[in-house]
Amino acid sequence: MSLAVYQAAPGFAFELAAELDFLGVDVIERRDPLFLTPGPVRDVAWAQNTWLEPRFLPAPSIGKGAAGLKSIQRNWDMVETDEAGQRRRAELIRQKLPPVKARPLPFGHPAPTAPLGAWTLWKPDSILASPSTSSPFPQGRVLFEEDREGPPNRAYLKLWELFTLLGRAPEPGEMCLDLGGSPGGWAWVLARLGARVVSLDKAPLDPKVAALPGVEERLGSAFALDPAEAARADWFFSDVICYPGRLWKLLSRVMEAAPGLNLACTVKLQGEVTDWTELAPFRDAHGSRLLHLWHNKHELTWVRLAAEKTNDPDDK
């Protein structure tokens, strides 16, 4: 039987459990933050990291457990579970493996490309391991060399993370609409990339952001946006605080007016457990993805990218 393992971010195991239940995925065993399920692997928004090829390896001794992992590949990230009685033995196995260094990433640098597996000591004599995972970062945790002076808040990290995972970001000169942009964390990121930014919010931008080259500030409701204006943009961003249903109505109008637009939006959630009926349009939208970023709080990020531009004359 094929297996899949979904790993929750700290504090969000209840959301992951609810999503798996909504999807009808049976959980064979749960050991927070890991959920062991039958395969095949599903697209699960609240999974911070998904183990793509999990299998059990014998670990009759500490040395043989480490040797079994090293026989598959070099780089392994250990995941601790709430099975407290096995932590000491797991740590001894980890010490026999090559160290995995997770240095903060400078923004603009690509995500790691070296294979990174994940493992945990499932039983005293058995390792659950996957040589490939959905995230190239240990635990799915994307850490950056933060800028503590330029941006007006830490929301900029969400865009840094998204662009790093996508391997794609606005190019110099491209037009970006930034809805709900105050105090300007996202506009700051986009301006640094050399993009032109129109920020629309009832609250003003931080003066330092508003003064950046290429930034245009407009005071007003994001929901008063004329969809025709989206047709003149390359990217559409929203970090607006609103119910998901209201955001989707706005997105529907925007996508109808500008079908070739790149979109990236924060979907703010209400209540302790996600209402997946309300989020169905986001999950079902063709060519899109719904995911939880490491720098998201109780919210998800929805993204839909248009086809990349090329320099091929036949594409014009």
Side-chain angles (χ1 to χ4, degrees), residues 44-45 47-50 105-113 116 133-144 156-170 235 264 289-296 300-303 305 308:
V44 180
Q48 197 65 40
N49 197 14
T50 300
L105 191 70
F107 178 58
H109 286 218
T113 57
L116 177 63
T133 61
S134 63
S135 175
F137 298 93
Q139 315 286 316
R141 185 181 184 187
V142 188
L143 301 179
F144 293 102
Y156 77 100
L157 291 168
K158 291 188 283 189
L159 271 195
W160 274 15
E161 180 179 353
L162 182 64
F163 293 154
T164 300
L165 296 178
L166 295 176
R168 188 170 167 190
W235 291 78
R289 185 182 175 195
L290 192 62
L291 69 159
H292 182 262
L293 301 174
W294 180 261
H295 293 97
N296 280 141
L300 295 171
T301 293
W302 181 79
V303 58
L305 297 183
E308 291 195 66

Side-chain angles (χ1 to χ4, degrees), residues 23-268:
L23 294 173
V25 177
D26 294 327
V27 176
I28 299 171
E29 192 166 352
R30 171 179 173 175
R31 295 186 184 177
D32 287 354
L34 302 179
F35 292 73
L36 175 64
T37 77
V41 171
R42 304 281 295 272
D43 184 12
V44 180
W46 281 103
Q48 197 65 40
N49 197 14
T50 300
W51 299 16
L52 306 177
E53 302 176 274
R55 79 281 304 264
F56 287 98
L57 304 175
S61 68
I62 291 168
K64 289 183 178 180
L69 291 168
K70 288 190 287 187
S71 70
I72 298 174
Q73 64 186 34
R74 181 190 186 279
N75 296 327
W76 290 97
D77 177 41
M78 185 184 80
V79 177
E80 289 189 0
T81 71
D82 56 5
E83 194 75 14
Q86 295 167 187
R87 290 178 183 171
R88 175 58 180 166
R89 186 175 178 86
E91 175 60 21
L92 292 174
I93 294 174
R94 187 197 65 78
Q95 291 175 8
K96 290 185 173 293
L97 298 174
V100 174
K101 298 180 181 179
R103 296 188 180 93
L105 191 70
F107 178 58
H109 286 218
T113 57
L116 177 63
W119 70 278
T120 190
L121 190 61
W122 200 252
K123 296 180 180 179
D125 61 352
S126 179
I127 287 173
L128 178 60
S130 177
S132 60
T133 61
S134 63
S135 175
F137 298 93
Q139 315 286 316
R141 185 181 184 187
V142 188
L143 301 179
F144 293 102
E145 293 181 1
E146 297 190 26
D147 187 322
R148 301 186 184 280
E149 297 181 3
N153 60 6
R154 301 187 81 252
Y156 77 100
L157 291 168
K158 291 188 283 189
L159 271 195
W160 274 15
E161 180 179 353
L162 182 64
F163 293 154
T164 300
L165 296 178
L166 295 176
R168 188 170 167 190
E171 298 177 0
E174 288 193 315
M175 172 60 72
C176 301
L177 295 176
D178 177 27
L179 274 59
S182 178
W186 287 18
W188 178 84
V189 172
L190 299 171
R192 283 192 62 192
L193 291 171
R196 294 175 293 149
V197 187
V198 175
S199 178
L200 179 58
D201 199 320
K202 292 180 179 179
L205 290 175
D206 182 284
K208 292 186 298 182
V209 177
L212 291 174
V215 174
E216 177 185 343
E217 179 181 14
R218 296 184 190 174
L219 295 178
S221 170
F223 297 96
L225 175 74
D226 181 355
E229 187 165 4
R232 297 189 291 270
D234 299 289
W235 291 78
F236 177 98
F237 296 94
S238 170
D239 200 24
V240 174
I241 300 174
C242 67
Y243 287 103
R246 191 179 188 200
L247 175 61
W248 184 254
K249 288 180 180 179
L250 172 61
L251 290 173
S252 297
R253 297 195 300 270
V254 166
M255 289 187 288
E256 182 178 1
L261 194 63
N262 299 291
L263 302 106
C265 306
T266 305
V267 184
K268 309 288 185 177

